[in-house]
Amino acid sequence: ITAALTAIYMTRLMVMTFWGSERFREAHTDEHAGAHAHASDDEAPESNKTDFLEEDAEHEEHHAPVEPHESPWTMTVPLVVLALLSAVGGLVGVPYALSGGALPNYFERALEPAVAAAPKRGAAAQESNADARGAGESVRAPAAHGDEGAVPQSVGEGEQQGATAAEHAPDAGGVAKERLFTGISVVVGLVGIGIGWAYFRRRPLARMPRLLENKYYVDELYYAAIINPVKNGSREGLWKVFDVSVIDWLVNAVARGTRELGDVSRRLQRGFVRGYAAVILFGALAVIGYFVFIFGRALR
């Protein structure tokens, strides 16, 4: 399905870009004629002619005919590099099913030095050794009793300890399946190219079905499943409930308490000497009264 869809819309892109007549001048002419269809120099009132000419000049300045031109070298050079890599870059990783081993696949075993293969033990080791002997391969003896704590070997170390390259030979059944599905994908792609050419060659600007125009509604699903829940939860829960009802209440409560405490302290600092003297007198009387009370209890 992916191969067919890709072939169809890439063929549509090729047809729209490289086949058919030029459309950029026609589109500008149609747009220009449509914008001026409602007014002409003969019918326009005299008072509106000046404004109309100014708007027309501004329209011509910002909506001039689009003439395709070659991009500057700062864009051309990267495009050339990408084109070359797209055409031949895959040759460094051609699978065995397609090359038959004629071209080395540099990506297939790139991670072998970093991937450890634990030694097989017990029945699994005996079965593996029996299969290897039946295939005529030289194998390493199974781990003896007491070697359970041996350090696992990396995949690449097998070749240094007697393992042959035949251990890495691909399975014949897997190769056949890979070739089969590769052929199916190529055929499906060719069919998609044929469908795209037959349909869009006559109607390069044909409107796509609503499902395709809306990109399978992926954006709508994304908004419904992720964006809107996060946005609504942030607005209704975090902002209106937690931020306003909790954080703002705490901040405002601290501010109100500080202000009320300041109001109380301000009443004690009125700037009158008589008031300060009265406070000192009351304080002295309180201290004297406290000591009198203490000594009176002691004398009893």
Side-chain angles (χ1 to χ4, degrees), residues 126-251:
Q126 295 176 2
E127 181 179 357
S128 177
N129 293 332
D131 294 341
R133 291 191 185 94
E137 297 176 353
S138 59
V139 295
R140 183 167 56 89
H145 180 69
D147 292 341
E148 287 80 0
V151 178
Q153 303 173 5
S154 67
V155 177
E157 291 178 356
E159 297 180 359
Q160 300 177 0
Q161 299 184 6
T164 63
E167 295 180 0
H168 300 283
D171 179 61
V175 171
K177 289 181 180 179
E178 185 172 356
R179 290 175 178 173
L180 173 63
F181 285 105
T182 300
I184 293 175
S185 299
V186 171
V187 172
V188 170
L190 293 176
V191 171
I193 292 175
I195 295 174
W197 171 257
Y199 185 78
F200 295 110
R201 182 171 54 89
R202 296 188 300 269
R203 303 176 59 194
L205 300 179
R207 187 174 182 84
M208 294 292 97
R210 186 177 297 273
L211 180 65
L212 300 181
E213 291 287 348
N214 292 319
K215 296 165 290 187
Y216 301 100
Y217 295 94
V218 172
D219 291 343
E220 287 76 6
L221 293 175
Y222 182 74
Y223 270 85
I226 298 178
I227 298 297
N228 291 334
V230 171
K231 184 169 63 176
N232 295 332
S234 300
R235 180 189 296 112
E236 303 298 332
L238 297 179
W239 173 37
K240 292 185 178 180
V241 176
F242 186 75
D243 190 8
V244 175
S245 302
V246 178
I247 296 179
D248 287 355
W249 182 86
L250 288 175
V251 173

